[in-house]
């Protein structure tokens, strides 16, 4: 059964809210507190000061649907806009974040349950890959 963008976004946010994440509204496309960025280009932009320790929030887990602009950067694929059906100038990045509460093992578990249980993808049709030097993720999957 095909789902609309709104249904996918809602299911994602609802799933993480059920797993003790606070739903945080998208921040502005032009970051208010970061002169190093012209635009929000990823979901974590609004939490940069939390990750660097400059800011504390009243929650340790968050989930968002952040409005973003593809404007270059580390993984610059700007030249693909208009040439592939998945590269757009404007997009929303769904994300879940932990601020010192959980790490890789719980993040993997949450993501796996989201795609296999909530979204109903057949686990037998999925391939799991990990970075070759990532012993934590490697051991988690018992590869």
């Amino acid at each position: 059964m095909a789902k609309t963008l709104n249904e996918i976004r809602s299911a994602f946010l609802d799933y993480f809210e059920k797993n003790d994440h606070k739903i945080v509204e998208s921040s502005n496309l032009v970051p208010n507190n970061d002169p190093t960025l012209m635009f929000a280009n990823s979901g974590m932009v609004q939490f940069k000061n939390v990750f660097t320790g400059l800011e504390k929030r009243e929650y340790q887990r968050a989930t968002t649907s952040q409005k973003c602009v593809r404007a270059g950067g580390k993984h610059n694929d700007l030249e693909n806009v208009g040439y592939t059906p998945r590269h757009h100038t404007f997009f929303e990045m769904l994300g879940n974040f932990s601020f010192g509460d959980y790490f890789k093992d719980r993040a993997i578990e949450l993501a796996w349950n989201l795609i296999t249980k909530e979204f109903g993808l057949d686990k037998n049709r999925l391939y799991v890959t990990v970075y070759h030097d990532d012993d934590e993720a490697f051991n988690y999957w018992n590869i």
Side-chain angles (χ1 to χ4, degrees):
M1 167 168 78
K3 294 192 179 274
T4 67
L5 172 67
N6 288 334
E7 290 170 332
I8 292 169
R9 181 191 309 109
S10 293
F12 182 93
L13 295 172
D14 292 346
Y15 169 78
F16 281 102
E17 184 177 44
K18 285 188 290 187
N19 283 278
D20 303 317
H21 290 67
K22 177 176 177 49
I23 297 176
V24 178
E25 292 293 319
S26 177
S27 64
N28 294 330
L29 278 174
V30 177
N32 295 332
N33 60 352
D34 190 343
T36 68
L37 288 174
M38 291 179 65
F39 304 105
N41 60 354
S42 75
M44 68 155 300
V45 167
Q46 67 177 300
F47 302 115
K48 182 177 176 182
N49 287 343
V50 179
F51 286 119
T52 61
L54 295 174
E55 182 183 335
K56 295 272 189 220
R57 301 275 174 111
E58 71 271 4
Y59 47 85
Q60 287 188 290
R61 298 176 178 193
T63 186
T64 66
S65 178
Q66 175 61 46
K67 295 172 182 73
C68 298
V69 172
R70 187 178 311 274
K74 181 179 174 186
H75 303 292
N76 190 353
D77 52 2
L78 191 58
E79 67 278 357
N80 292 322
V81 171
Y83 291 99
T84 76
R86 64 184 180 90
H87 287 86
H88 305 281
T89 305
F90 174 81
F91 62 98
E92 290 180 75
M93 186 175 284
L94 299 174
N96 60 294
F97 305 91
S98 169
F99 310 117
D101 183 43
Y102 63 83
F103 194 55
K104 202 172 297 183
D105 57 344
R106 182 71 175 137
I108 291 170
E109 178 184 6
L110 287 166
W112 183 257
N113 289 337
L114 172 68
I115 63 174
T116 60
K117 294 178 180 168
E118 297 294 317
F119 290 155
L121 297 180
D122 181 355
K123 66 182 180 181
N124 296 315
R125 297 187 69 193
L126 300 174
Y127 291 90
V128 175
T129 62
V130 296
Y131 184 69
H132 66 92
D133 286 340
D134 189 344
D135 292 335
E136 286 178 289
F138 189 84
N139 291 331
Y140 181 81
W141 289 106
N142 296 316
I143 297 173

